[in-house]
């Protein structure tokens, strides 16, 4: 964004004449910068939206040697945990909704 603003300021201030020879480097720089920024954001969104969940069976029986080594390192440091109790957050959320609706109703 700073590059775009600087380009606008340079040309509107009159420091550089507005000719094709002078304008081309600024346009190409802005195009390269904003083009890479857009694709970088898309890659980040795609990467962050992935679900990184594996079952214990998948970790213990990998599809290939490469994944097996990675999963071995994970299971070496991490301990599988099972939460089989009731989720208290669901009850707390329901209670908060009831309180909020009571406040809004007056």
């Amino acid at each position: 964004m700073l590059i775009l603003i600087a380009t606008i300021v340079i040309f509107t201030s009159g420091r550089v004449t507005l000719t094709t020879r002078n304008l081309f480097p600024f346009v190409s720089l802005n195009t390269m910068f904003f083009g890479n920024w857009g694709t970088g954001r898309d890659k980040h969104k795609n990467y962050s939206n992935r679900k990184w969940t594996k079952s214990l069976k998948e970790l213990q029986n990998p599809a290939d040697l490469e994944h097996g080594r990675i999963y071995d390192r994970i299971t070496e440091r991490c301990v599988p945990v099972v939460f089989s109790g009731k989720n208290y957050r669901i009850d707390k959320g329901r209670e908060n909704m009831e309180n909020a609706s009571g406040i809004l109703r007056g």
Side-chain angles (χ1 to χ4, degrees):
M1 192 68 179
L2 185 61
I3 295 172
L4 180 62
I5 293 170
T7 302
I8 293 169
V9 168
I10 288 171
F11 283 111
T12 57
S13 68
R15 294 180 190 169
V16 177
T17 57
L18 190 60
T19 62
T20 306
R21 181 174 171 240
N22 293 336
L23 186 62
F24 181 74
F26 288 102
V27 170
S28 60
L29 178 67
N30 283 313
T31 303
M32 285 188 300
F33 175 75
F34 285 114
N36 288 336
W37 183 79
T39 57
R41 286 292 299 158
D42 294 341
K43 287 178 186 177
H44 172 71
K45 283 182 181 179
N46 290 339
Y47 185 78
S48 63
N49 287 337
R50 288 185 185 167
K51 291 187 178 183
W52 296 100
T53 57
K54 295 281 182 188
S55 69
L56 186 58
K57 287 182 183 179
E58 288 176 307
L59 292 177
Q60 291 173 340
N61 302 313
D64 56 8
L65 182 63
E66 181 180 350
H67 285 92
R69 290 179 178 166
I70 294 169
Y71 298 158
D72 285 345
R73 289 186 187 106
I74 292 171
T75 55
E76 177 185 10
R77 294 289 179 184
C78 302
V79 178
V81 178
V82 175
F83 295 100
S84 58
K86 187 176 179 181
N87 187 351
Y88 71 91
R89 289 187 179 100
I90 293 173
D91 293 336
K92 186 67 176 171
R94 188 176 299 118
E95 182 182 319
N96 287 340
M97 288 292 288
E98 290 170 1
N99 289 339
S101 67
I103 291 171
L104 292 174
R105 289 182 187 149

